[in-house]
Amino acid sequence: MLSRQFVREHPETVRDAIERKGVTGVDLDEILEIDEEWRELKAEGDGLRQERNEVSSKIGQLKQDGKDEEAQEAIDRSQELKDELQEVEERADELESRLEEALLELPNVPHESVPTGEGEADNVERYREGFDDLRDLPDEVIPHYDLGEDLDLLDFERGAKVSGGGYQFVKGEGARLEHALIQFMLDVHREQEYVDVLPPIPVNSDSMEGTGQLPKFDEDAYRVGARQDDDYDSDDLWLLPTAEVPVTNMYRDEILLDDDLPVKHQAFSPNFRREAGEHGTETRGYVRVHQFHKVELVNFVRPENSYDRLESLLDEAAEVLDRLELPYRVLDMCTGDMGFTQAKKYDIEVWAPGDDMADGPDRGGRWLEVSSVSNFEDFQARRAGLRYRPERHESADYLHTLNGSGLAVPRVLVAIMEYYQNDDGTITVPEPLRPYMGGQEVIEGSEKIGESAVGAGEKE
């Protein structure tokens, strides 16, 4: 969150951030009015407290001097001041609560290097990798959702039967490939000196507020044991939408030492999101689902190092695609498409050649986002109380947090199924993944199970 002092001293900067990020439903003028009244009441309360202390200190001496009438007047005045102070403090507490809630609705201020724009069409492509030496592809690349069903790697019909739309079974060699990807990603990031964390899957409301999912985006998250539209308490539980939430909040309300920094954690987890996009080719298959696996990279750093660390974090996430030799591009996200909590964000998008999309590359196919690499500066740290102490004798200050997926597993799986597809409908296993699959080089698929496969002519 933004500090009160920053909002108070830089209202036009905050107003510009609200406008450029396209945030609606926030009344900055009302927030400033609440803050001004709160500060006036605090000053009034300090004055009343000082006067009461002065009056009370005289009562004993007046009684000793035999001035009982004056002493009683002082007692009466002290009681009046106490009542006035209580009224002022209650009003100040009420305003402070409103102010804290209102500040949670203010977006982070974009870094000066962030391009201005309204949506994804205004994002700036920074560079592309892997397109100079593409492998030979079939004349007609089969989309992953058809190929996955042909080879019995993906089963969307049974997933929907068991859990509803937006869920799936990953089966046989498909499941083995996904496991291989997860272990490969974790090993790559261990080489980059990341420390593993296995986080809890349910997270409380305080944690969701700490990273910025609440209160703004509660409709996208799965609640545990409550109706979606019920008011939530600090200890209500949610299924984690990303491991960013538990890992960032692991140090909530703590002070780290300067020697501890930078802290680099990676966490593998299943992730759960209610919003699964519109139906259609763009979201068909294993691209936008309610449950998916991801490796998340979370960094805690000194403020002066956070933008250098952002560039390194981008390289660390992209290294997975570099080693798999999957073509991709990096986008510098514009103000209208970068998110509520970020000060600066890059997106890494892998190329999947199976479906031609209007916003895909000239050679066809489409882009799939596999990582958002973000610097939040001290925005999350203020919400979560994440601080560090530069020197033992110095006061604690807010650190900076960064994170990025390293990577989102399903979309990398989709890219492999389409980019490493062969003319005969098989899939070549990328060389770095073969040690994780017992040396297997080609995925040929499995025979389907059940009477439905006989009826469809897929087995005798």
Side-chain angles (χ1 to χ4, degrees):
M1 65 193 300
L2 302 178
S3 71
R4 298 182 194 184
Q5 183 176 352
F6 183 87
V7 175
R8 188 184 305 142
E9 295 178 355
H10 306 280
E12 294 312 311
T13 300
V14 177
R15 200 181 308 277
D16 180 64
I18 293 170
E19 181 178 348
R20 293 173 69 203
K21 285 198 167 187
V23 174
T24 58
V26 179
D27 190 337
L28 179 59
D29 291 327
E30 182 181 8
I31 293 173
L32 294 170
E33 289 171 5
I34 294 172
D35 179 58
E36 183 177 3
E37 184 181 351
W38 174 79
R39 286 186 293 130
E40 290 173 353
L41 288 171
K42 294 297 285 185
E44 183 180 349
D46 290 341
L48 290 170
R49 193 175 294 104
Q50 181 179 352
E51 183 181 352
R52 182 168 182 255
N53 290 338
E54 291 173 354
V55 171
S56 297
S57 66
K58 297 175 181 178
I59 294 173
Q61 187 63 48
L62 289 170
K63 286 184 176 182
Q64 283 185 6
D65 294 342
K67 299 178 180 179
D68 293 342
E69 187 175 341
E70 291 183 39
Q72 186 59 49
E73 289 177 357
I75 292 172
D76 293 342
R77 178 56 180 158
S78 178
Q79 184 61 47
E80 289 174 3
L81 290 168
K82 180 182 178 181
D83 294 341
E84 289 180 37
L85 180 59
Q86 182 178 346
E87 185 178 336
V88 167
E89 287 180 336
E90 288 177 354
R91 174 60 177 166
D93 289 345
E94 176 191 341
L95 289 175
E96 184 167 31
S97 178
R98 288 177 57 193
L99 185 58
E100 285 295 316
E101 290 181 5
L103 288 173
L104 292 174
E105 301 285 346
L106 293 177
N108 202 355
V109 174
H111 187 264
E112 59 185 10
S113 65
V114 174
T116 297
E118 295 182 0
E120 60 183 46
D122 300 312
N123 296 327
V124 177
E125 185 172 311
R126 189 172 177 185
Y127 61 86
R128 296 187 185 189
E129 287 287 346
F131 285 93
D132 293 336
D133 189 23
L134 294 174
R135 71 187 302 270
D136 292 332
L137 297 175
D139 292 336
E140 296 271 341
V141 177
I142 303 171
H144 78 281
Y145 42 83
D146 288 333
L147 183 65
E149 292 187 342
D150 291 344
L151 300 182
D152 202 29
L153 309 179
L154 299 171
D155 194 331
F156 302 104
E157 184 176 346
R158 289 189 174 106
K161 176 175 67 176
V162 169
S163 301
Y167 295 92
Q168 65 291 313
F169 283 100
V170 185
K171 302 165 60 180
E173 292 170 304
R176 195 175 186 189
L177 180 61
E178 180 149 336
H179 283 299
L181 269 172
I182 293 164
Q183 289 302 321
F184 170 68
M185 291 175 184
L186 291 169
D187 281 347
V188 168
H189 301 312
R190 288 178 188 129
E191 293 175 16
Q192 299 162 347
E193 301 184 339
Y194 278 87
V195 176
D196 290 59
V197 172
L198 272 175
I201 301 304
V203 291
N204 59 30
S205 299
D206 281 347
S207 296
M208 293 281 279
E209 281 189 357
T211 45
Q213 276 75 22
L214 295 181
K216 197 117 183 113
F217 306 105
D218 62 315
E219 70 277 3
D220 292 338
Y222 282 96
R223 294 189 66 174
V224 178
R227 291 174 56 87
Q228 193 70 18
D229 54 356
D230 288 347
D231 292 337
Y232 59 83
D233 295 322
S234 61
D235 58 352
D236 282 352
L237 293 179
W238 309 73
L239 296 181
L240 64 81
T242 165
E244 165 196 350
V245 178
V247 177
T248 302
N249 282 277
M250 185 163 56
Y251 303 112
R252 187 175 74 231
D253 296 326
E254 294 186 31
I255 298 175
L256 305 184
L257 300 177
D258 186 69
D259 292 344
D260 296 328
L261 303 178
V263 174
K264 296 170 62 177
H265 285 312
Q266 68 164 336
F268 161 74
S269 72
N271 306 270
F272 303 87
R273 299 182 186 177
R274 293 179 62 87
E275 193 279 313
E278 299 176 358
H279 296 291
T281 302
E282 188 172 350
T283 57
R284 185 178 174 187
Y286 204 23
V287 170
R288 190 181 293 272
V289 292
H290 291 307
Q291 177 186 336
F292 61 96
H293 291 136
K294 181 160 64 78
V295 174
E296 188 72 9
L297 309 177
V298 180
N299 290 198
F300 306 85
V301 304
R302 302 174 189 88
E304 65 269 20
N305 297 336
S306 66
Y307 279 95
D308 287 340
R309 180 92 279 276
L310 178 66
E311 300 301 318
S312 298
L313 178 56
L314 175 63
D315 293 340
E316 289 165 351
E319 186 174 342
V320 172
L321 298 179
D322 289 331
R323 293 202 195 183
L324 293 173
E325 298 184 13
L326 288 170
Y328 66 94
R329 69 173 180 174
V330 172
L331 298 178
D332 194 349
M333 306 301 284
C334 73
T335 53
D337 199 34
M338 69 182 298
F340 179 83
T341 56
Q342 292 87 344
K344 187 173 179 66
K345 182 173 85 168
Y346 297 120
D347 269 8
I348 303 174
E349 296 184 338
V350 71
W351 181 51
D355 277 309
D356 291 340
M357 296 290 175
D359 59 350
D362 294 339
R363 55 177 40 87
R366 60 171 163 172
W367 300 110
L368 296 177
E369 176 204 325
V370 293
S371 181
S372 290
V373 179
S374 304
N375 187 354
F376 302 91
E377 297 185 357
D378 64 0
F379 191 81
Q380 289 183 331
R382 287 184 179 278
R383 296 170 78 107
L386 291 163
R387 296 183 293 165
Y388 80 107
R389 199 178 301 280
E391 297 290 344
R392 300 277 177 147
H393 62 279
E394 294 182 2
S395 60
D397 199 2
Y398 290 103
L399 48 73
H400 281 194
T401 61
L402 305 92
N403 66 51
S405 300
L407 304 162
V409 178
R411 293 181 178 184
V412 178
L413 187 75
V414 168
I416 289 173
M417 291 176 64
E418 296 184 358
Y419 181 68
Y420 277 95
Q421 193 176 130
N422 302 311
D423 290 327
D424 61 358
T426 61
I427 302 165
T428 296
V429 177
E431 197 165 327
L433 299 182
R434 294 174 189 174
Y436 302 91
M437 297 186 66
Q440 183 175 349
E441 297 183 5
V442 178
I443 292 174
E444 298 178 344
S446 304
E447 188 174 272
K448 296 186 178 182
I449 293 175
E451 289 184 344
S452 60
V454 176
E458 293 168 343
K459 66 181 296 184
E460 297 180 0

